[in-house]
Amino acid sequence: AMINIGDREDQLLVYRATIEGELSVRKVEELVRNLTHKPEKKPGSPKKSEKNIYLSKLEQNLEEKLGGRVVIKQSGDGKGELRLHFESTEDLNRILDLLEIMK
């Protein structure tokens, strides 16, 4: 299925998602299909894009490691944002300690 992916970065993305997510052959085929057959967007009717398997798994891993809610959003051009939610100043400091920031 991966032979149909022309872009090297997309190939690596599928590879990582396959290994980390322990994906079945059918899931890999579906992921490749989603990467190679991007639907055209109609002006005036933006639809919420479906998060790919790799980003969902990455969110889940970060949530487990940081102990809080994590949201990753990525646009079609590869740009995006990473949001780390915290409940209090103490919670923020705990996350910063885990990330080894501001020691």
Side-chain angles (χ1 to χ4, degrees):
M2 287 178 50
I3 199 161
N4 296 324
I5 304 171
D7 184 52
R8 182 174 169 84
E9 286 185 34
D10 285 345
Q11 287 175 345
L12 290 172
L13 177 78
V14 171
Y15 170 77
R16 286 188 197 111
T18 302
I19 298 302
E20 292 174 9
E22 300 177 4
L23 301 180
S24 68
V25 173
R26 299 293 175 248
K27 289 290 184 182
V28 173
E29 289 173 344
E30 179 182 342
L31 179 59
V32 169
R33 223 177 359 266
N34 289 339
L35 281 173
T36 58
H37 296 98
K38 295 178 182 170
E40 292 183 27
K41 293 182 180 177
K42 296 179 182 177
S45 63
K47 292 184 180 179
K48 190 173 183 177
S49 63
E50 190 174 313
K51 197 172 285 188
N52 74 44
I53 296 169
Y54 177 72
L55 289 181
S56 295
K57 183 71 173 169
L58 187 57
E59 271 182 353
Q60 183 181 12
N61 288 344
L62 284 169
E63 286 176 348
E64 289 172 8
K65 293 202 184 316
L66 299 176
R69 185 166 170 243
V70 175
V71 177
I72 300 174
K73 292 184 180 181
Q74 188 175 27
S75 63
D77 63 0
K79 295 179 183 178
E81 60 184 49
L82 169 66
R83 289 187 185 180
L84 306 175
H85 295 258
F86 54 91
E87 300 297 321
S88 64
T89 303
E90 292 81 18
D91 195 26
L92 172 60
N93 288 330
R94 181 189 59 77
I95 292 170
L96 293 175
D97 285 343
L98 287 171
L99 296 173
E100 297 182 357
I101 295 175
M102 297 183 67
K103 282 192 170 188

